[in-house]
Amino acid sequence: MQKGRGRTSRIRRRKLCRSADSRGVNESYKSEFIELKKWLKDRKFEDTTLIPAYFPGTGRGLMSKTSLQEGQMIISLPESCLLTTDTVIRSFLGPYLKKWKPPPSPVLALCTFLISEKHAGNRSLWKPYLDILPQSYTCPVCLEPEVVDLLPEPLRAKAKEQRAHVQDFFASSRSFFSSLQPLFVEAVDGIFSYDAFLWAWCTVNTRAVYMRPRRQDCLSAEPDTQALAPYLDLLNHSPHVQVKAAFNEKTGCYEIRTASGCRKHEQVFICYGPHDDRQLLLEYGFISRHNPHACVPISGEMLVKYLPPTDKQMHKKMSILKDHGFAENLTFGWDGPSWRLLTALKLLCMEAEEFTCWKKILLGEVISDTNEKTSLDTAQKICCSFIEETMVVLQKVSDMKERKVSLIDQLSLVEALWTEELRILKASAEVLSLQTP
Ligand SMILES: C[S@@+](CC[C@H](N)C(=O)[O-])C[C@H]1O[C@@H](n2cnc3c(N)ncnc32)[C@H](O)[C@@H]1O
């Protein structure tokens, strides 16, 4: 067996990276966590399973005090600790939300509450929770435009869309914020600034848990499915674990059970979903190393660049791919090019006399040795070209890190994404080199 390619070595590698990332430093003695624990206790939550800790690979998270068995409850947080739109409507903001037309969205209600409570400082009942929230975030909307420009497409376009969305959302919420002036001594423009709004939006976006949709008469019809869950939201993501998480109507608690088990003093993870790294960066502002869902996508249009420009049937072939949904979700992964990518390439590499066989290709049949070889060669060519392009960007990021020290954290995040993609492409190239005769 080739070194490092088999299942056993993959598992061993995963275990190694798990133990290196999982050694945490207990942080429960810190005043902010002592205050948070008191606050949670007042709301009928006492935790005997987890402690806050700092982990070298993932940052702040939660560590198990004892070993956790498969199926065991990790956390059961009472409703009284959750911050939902109910909390907001019951608060001093309620009458203003009810009055405002058109009705504000559930996300706006949550953001408004977070901003006003943060502004209230020591007077806020939510202070112990607010004090453990990050001061800033690394979602693309928070990145400097020159850093966003270093992201791969189509993530770059999505990052720009995210920024435009948050800016529009803020602009369209300003008149609602102005209506809250009677509640504050200071000018609302200063309280509900763009920076404060961005912080609140990122807090909700990166930390909220999913709740069964509710409908509040005074809010817009957009899905009301998000709740902030203090303490529980210290759980970091791992693509390797499975959990069951939901609000239990019978117990009135938000419950998470592990389906994976966890050793004593290891970091307890939950899974935010089967996201690839670009999705994790877009939605949560981080990437996960050794992510089995990570891949490097290539668009159908881009494939054409690597095929003979003289092919008169190329236009027709592209139409077939588009009509049959084979022009998207084409990827290079840890195990080589995806079946969809190879199928698309086989179709694009058909000789003129093979054209009638296009259906067979889409059904996964081999139409000729030449077609198999040409498509694999083309996949190899594309993969090598992607590797070169990735190395060029990595050099650019590295140069920029030296010139723009103030952007080092943002640039390191982008660098981590490209480095992971380079690893995937190299793994794909290796698989392809074994497949090409
Ligand atoms: C729900 S919070 C988890 C707790 C968070 N680490 C904290 O200190 O508050 C989600 C955020 O944690 C970070 N995070 C979660 N899982 C991570 C991981 N595997 N590696 C690095 N950062 C992670 C990301 O910044 C993400 O937006």
Side-chain angles (χ1 to χ4, degrees):
M1 195 186 288
Q2 293 281 324
K3 186 172 165 275
R5 196 168 298 117
R7 185 168 173 272
T8 322
S9 73
R10 260 204 312 272
I11 293 171
R12 201 180 307 132
R13 216 180 315 138
R14 199 181 297 158
K15 276 191 180 160
L16 278 176
C17 69
R18 219 161 117 195
S19 56
D21 283 357
S22 60
R23 252 175 273 125
V25 179
N26 185 347
E27 291 206 330
S28 59
Y29 66 90
K30 287 193 166 177
S31 59
E32 63 265 33
F33 288 119
I34 293 170
E35 290 306 313
L36 181 67
K37 285 257 166 134
K38 275 193 218 153
W39 183 87
L40 290 164
K41 197 172 169 193
D42 289 346
R43 291 169 184 238
K44 309 271 177 283
F45 174 71
E46 249 183 297
D47 183 28
T48 51
T49 319
L50 309 165
I51 34 177
Y54 187 87
F55 299 89
T58 54
R60 196 174 57 166
L62 292 175
M63 176 160 75
S64 61
K65 273 194 208 166
T66 54
S67 70
L68 298 173
Q69 307 304 316
E70 280 174 31
Q72 193 173 330
M73 184 87 77
I74 304 176
I75 193 165
S76 173
L77 195 69
E79 193 171 9
S80 52
C81 301
L82 299 178
L83 198 174
T84 63
T85 51
D86 282 327
T87 321
V88 185
I89 293 165
R90 281 197 309 265
S91 77
F92 60 98
L93 291 171
Y96 290 82
L97 286 167
K98 288 177 186 158
K99 238 178 4 206
W100 191 253
K101 294 285 171 288
S105 67
V107 180
L108 179 57
L110 292 173
C111 289
T112 309
F113 185 81
L114 281 173
I115 300 169
S116 22
E117 290 298 312
K118 195 169 187 208
H119 173 73
N122 290 337
R123 288 173 286 123
S124 171
L125 289 176
W126 290 80
K127 180 173 163 30
Y129 175 52
L130 296 168
D131 282 350
I132 65 111
L133 289 176
Q135 301 290 323
S136 60
Y137 292 92
T138 48
C139 310
V141 62
C142 304
L143 303 181
E144 288 301 319
E146 54 193 316
V147 178
V148 171
D149 281 338
L150 291 167
L151 292 172
E153 279 293 7
L155 178 61
R156 194 187 315 157
K158 288 184 186 163
K160 289 181 180 173
E161 267 170 38
Q162 188 182 65
R163 178 185 291 267
H165 165 75
V166 177
Q167 284 175 345
D168 288 353
F169 190 11
F170 175 67
S172 62
S173 306
R174 292 192 83 172
S175 45
F176 169 64
F177 296 145
S178 298
S179 78
L180 304 176
Q181 188 61 71
L183 291 170
F184 301 94
V185 178
E186 302 83 355
V188 280
D189 277 357
I191 301 169
F192 295 91
S193 63
Y194 179 70
D195 284 350
F197 184 77
L198 186 60
W199 169 82
W201 186 87
C202 290
T203 300
V204 174
N205 235 39
T206 62
R207 308 184 75 85
V209 292
Y210 177 85
M211 299 279 280
R212 200 165 48 81
R214 286 153 297 162
R215 180 79 182 94
Q216 311 276 8
D217 287 341
C218 62
L219 299 180
S220 72
E222 282 162 67
D224 184 359
T225 53
Q226 290 176 304
L228 287 163
Y231 195 66
L232 182 152
D233 66 0
L234 288 170
L235 286 163
N236 283 326
H237 162 84
S238 165
H240 304 294
V241 301
Q242 285 183 349
V243 291
K244 278 192 174 161
F247 185 75
N248 183 336
E249 301 285 348
K250 282 195 198 125
T251 59
C253 292
Y254 194 94
E255 298 175 348
I256 303 186
R257 280 177 193 278
T258 170
S260 309
C262 178
R263 283 203 295 264
K264 184 176 172 177
H265 293 158
E266 272 199 348
Q267 175 159 204
V268 179
F269 288 104
I270 56 172
C271 181
Y272 298 174
H275 304 307
D276 63 34
D277 280 340
R278 293 186 182 191
Q279 191 79 17
L280 284 175
L281 180 56
L282 186 67
E283 292 190 18
Y284 301 98
F286 76 100
I287 69 138
S288 171
R289 281 198 65 197
H290 311 288
N291 180 356
H293 307 294
C295 57
V296 178
I298 172 160
S299 69
E301 278 80 19
M302 221 193 262
L303 293 180
V304 180
K305 226 177 81 184
Y306 297 90
L307 292 157
T310 46
D311 186 343
K312 294 200 176 71
Q313 291 167 321
M314 193 51 76
H315 190 68
K316 240 176 173 176
K317 289 175 180 175
M318 272 314 292
S319 300
I320 295 176
L321 288 183
K322 280 187 188 143
D323 291 349
H324 293 81
F326 272 84
E328 51 204 37
N329 291 335
L330 312 174
T331 54
F332 288 103
W334 298 107
D335 298 329
S338 64
W339 179 80
R340 291 173 58 83
L341 172 55
L342 277 180
T343 305
L345 283 174
K346 284 179 193 178
L347 198 136
L348 294 173
C349 291
M350 281 183 308
E351 299 289 336
E353 62 278 10
E354 292 174 328
F355 198 86
T356 47
C357 298
W358 67 265
K359 273 191 189 155
K360 283 189 180 171
I361 290 183
L362 294 190
L363 290 171
E365 286 180 37
V366 174
I367 59 156
S368 69
D369 287 349
T370 317
N371 182 261
E372 290 290 301
K373 184 174 174 346
T374 327
S375 49
L376 282 174
D377 284 348
T378 313
Q380 181 78 286
K381 198 163 79 181
I382 299 172
C383 194
C384 291
S385 156
F386 270 33
I387 289 176
E388 277 168 29
E389 285 170 25
T390 305
M391 283 169 35
V392 169
V393 183
L394 274 168
Q395 187 56 52
K396 210 167 150 187
V397 178
S398 158
D399 292 346
M400 210 159 148
K401 273 172 88 180
E402 280 183 21
R403 277 185 290 113
K404 307 252 171 160
V405 182
S406 61
L407 295 180
I408 202 129
D409 289 345
Q410 297 190 5
L411 290 166
S412 298
L413 181 63
V414 174
E415 188 176 46
L417 177 71
W418 282 105
T419 305
E420 204 61 6
E421 297 207 347
L422 184 60
R423 282 198 194 103
I424 295 170
L425 290 167
K426 285 185 173 169
S428 262
E430 212 180 317
V431 172
L432 278 164
S433 71
L434 294 174
Q435 284 176 353
T436 9

